[in-house]
Amino acid sequence: MKKKQCIAMLLAGGKGSRLKELTRNVAKPAVPFGGKYRIIDFALSNCKNSSIDTVGILTQYKQETLQNYIENGEKWGLNRKIGGVAILQPNQSDNTESTYEGTAHAVYENLRYIESQNPEYVLILSGDHIYKMDYSHMVKEHKRSGADATISVIQVPWSEASRFGIMNIDPETNQIIEFEEKPVYPKSNLASMGIYLFNWPILKKFLEKEENNPFSSKDFGKDVIPSMLQENCHLHAYHFNGYWKDVGTVQSFWEAHMDLLSVNTNPILKNEEWIIYTNGISQPPMYLDGKASLHQSIISEGCKVYGEVENSVLFYGVTVGEGAIIKDSVILPNTIIGENAEIYRSVVGNGSFIGAFSKVGDSTPYSEITLIGDNETIQPLVYK
């Protein structure tokens, strides 16, 4: 078989419990984002735009929601006869239902698929990050460095560094000399983005090593990368300077949507020729009533707005009743906001109903984000 330069393995199997009710019915990468997209659209579009035409998508929790959404990958240009997209579920035995035990184990379980593609390099991606990135630049730098593996890193605020896997590097060569998983006292603010590029033989070797280690958690950050450093492998840091957001929590999900409301931080508006593809639903144009008021917001197709919307993102098919107020909030698809309802600093799930005169959320700055799950009904305790 002809050798393929690079394939991607997209980790999309996590339950996403930190997103709470938003992942009750769908896998985390299938959660809506940005008014018309799903979270996984960004990684898939990056692959398409980077000319990586072979993507294995490793699913587990609510895998049918991703399978139904991605279909044959045509919407992302990944349905080619050579390569394309493959949905890879945990191997099933006759009597038991298997699960992926960690990120590295998920890839290990699909070694046969990788070998069938005969790649020179394997790119490991996460399905829950918002960013635009040309992976071909990372591949070129990896080849130039002669590294065994390259890890994409981004500078984070020092105050947040202890939340990430932190890379300590040689500033002259960008070679990684130490990796610390969520250190209490970080030595640098270069955080791993969870994007790894491996020489295929090296990756296979260390996946098999961790599989045979009874004490391993079979995770890339916790096990594979430290093991490679311990064996003096050459690990290279690839610096990424664009927008990147891990939307694994309700707070970060809300923050990423607020970032969309400024042209300076909106990743979709930057580098517009780098298209984010989606398997979207066609809706009628937005309707804006004469009594409506809009300010610094994103309003998607199919919305009907009769009230006031400020600093918010409305997904497709949302109805905002007359006299209703929505501020600093994210309203997912097909939600109905009743007349004179008030919503502040909230994320409202898909298909929910917020009754007339109801109040959701706290308008106080820096207050905790309120989450309403999918298909919920909220009514006021006392009508005005």
Side-chain angles (χ1 to χ4, degrees):
M1 177 187 291
K2 183 180 179 182
K3 182 174 284 291
K4 188 176 287 288
Q5 179 179 250
C6 185
I7 70 168
M9 298 294 280
L10 179 54
L11 299 166
K15 186 175 181 179
S17 57
R18 293 181 301 160
L19 281 176
K20 301 179 181 178
E21 288 88 349
L22 294 180
T23 53
R24 183 174 57 195
N25 301 313
V26 297
K28 179 166 61 171
V31 170
F33 182 85
K36 61 178 291 185
Y37 305 100
R38 305 286 184 108
I39 295 173
I40 199 172
D41 287 340
F42 289 81
L44 288 175
S45 298
N46 287 340
C47 287
K48 195 272 182 186
N49 293 331
S50 302
S51 299
I52 295 177
D53 60 11
T54 303
V55 183
I57 302 177
L58 286 66
T59 65
Q60 183 165 269
Y61 175 75
K62 300 288 185 182
Q63 60 82 22
E64 69 282 355
T65 59
L66 277 174
Q67 193 162 18
N68 293 338
Y69 177 68
I70 295 170
E71 298 176 330
N72 66 351
E74 180 179 2
K75 298 295 184 180
W76 300 268
L78 294 170
N79 62 330
R80 302 172 184 175
K81 294 181 179 179
I82 300 176
V85 66
I87 303 293
L88 304 172
Q89 304 172 43
N91 295 324
Q92 307 294 320
S93 66
D94 293 335
N95 301 317
T96 60
E97 183 173 330
S98 179
T99 59
Y100 293 140
E101 299 173 27
T103 54
H105 179 252
V107 178
Y108 172 83
E109 286 288 285
N110 292 283
L111 288 183
R112 185 177 297 180
Y113 168 78
I114 299 175
E115 288 176 333
S116 72
Q117 304 301 320
N118 195 25
E120 188 172 356
Y121 308 111
V122 177
L123 181 66
I124 308 297
L125 303 172
S126 173
D128 53 5
H129 297 158
I130 304 300
Y131 65 114
K132 289 182 176 182
M133 180 176 177
D134 190 339
Y135 302 133
S136 68
H137 293 167
M138 185 176 179
V139 173
K140 288 178 183 177
E141 187 165 320
H142 174 78
K143 292 167 70 174
R144 186 168 58 246
S145 71
D148 296 308
T150 294
I151 302 174
S152 187
V153 299
I154 190 169
Q155 283 191 325
V156 297
W158 280 96
S159 60
E160 298 181 15
S162 59
R163 295 176 46 228
F164 296 91
I166 295 297
M167 304 292 163
N168 301 317
I169 68 171
D170 181 327
E172 293 185 2
T173 65
N174 283 327
Q175 183 167 341
I176 297 168
I177 56 178
E178 186 180 13
F179 173 80
E180 298 177 285
E181 179 69 17
K182 299 181 180 179
V184 177
Y185 302 106
K187 299 174 185 176
S188 87
N189 64 339
L190 285 178
S192 168
M193 297 169 63
I195 300 172
Y196 310 103
L197 181 65
F198 293 93
N199 296 341
W200 166 229
I202 295 289
L203 174 60
K204 183 179 180 182
K205 170 188 172 181
F206 280 91
L207 289 177
E208 291 175 339
K209 177 184 177 182
E210 294 307 317
E211 188 65 22
N212 293 320
N213 178 0
F215 303 103
S216 176
S217 57
K218 302 175 183 179
D219 180 84
F220 279 105
K222 295 177 182 177
D223 304 289
V224 174
I225 300 306
S227 181
M228 292 182 72
L229 284 172
Q230 190 175 13
E231 293 196 19
N232 296 315
C233 290
H234 180 182
L235 300 186
H236 184 76
Y238 174 77
H239 293 262
F240 180 69
N241 298 314
Y243 180 94
W244 175 82
K245 190 81 170 181
D246 181 339
V247 289
T249 66
V250 173
Q251 177 71 30
S252 62
F253 181 81
W254 176 85
E255 288 173 356
H257 279 90
M258 295 301 102
D259 288 342
L260 297 177
L261 301 178
S262 169
V263 70
N264 295 321
T265 55
N266 186 324
I268 300 170
L269 295 180
K270 291 185 177 182
N271 193 11
E272 290 189 41
E273 65 273 14
W274 194 268
I275 299 171
I276 301 300
Y277 300 92
T278 187
N279 190 1
I281 299 173
S282 179
Q283 294 271 349
M286 173 194 73
Y287 172 74
L288 182 63
D289 187 71
K291 297 180 181 179
S293 172
L294 293 181
H295 180 73
Q296 199 78 18
S297 296
I298 292 175
I299 313 296
S300 303
E301 290 184 339
C303 288
K304 300 174 184 177
V305 181
Y306 301 87
E308 177 184 347
V309 180
E310 180 179 339
N311 208 58
S312 297
V313 177
L314 270 57
F315 283 70
Y316 57 84
V318 170
T319 299
V320 180
E322 186 175 333
I325 298 174
I326 301 173
K327 290 187 178 181
D328 306 317
S329 294
V330 182
I331 313 298
L332 271 62
N334 303 314
T335 288
I336 297 176
I337 313 297
E339 294 182 357
N340 299 299
E342 298 179 29
I343 301 176
Y344 303 100
R345 293 178 60 82
S346 297
V347 176
V348 180
N350 182 41
S352 290
F353 177 82
I354 310 300
F357 294 100
S358 297
K359 184 173 181 179
V360 175
D362 186 342
S363 61
T364 306
Y366 307 110
S367 59
E368 184 177 353
I369 303 305
T370 298
L371 173 63
I372 305 297
D374 292 347
N375 303 309
E376 291 195 20
T377 297
I378 304 296
Q379 297 285 11
L381 295 177
V382 179
Y383 282 88
K384 294 183 180 179

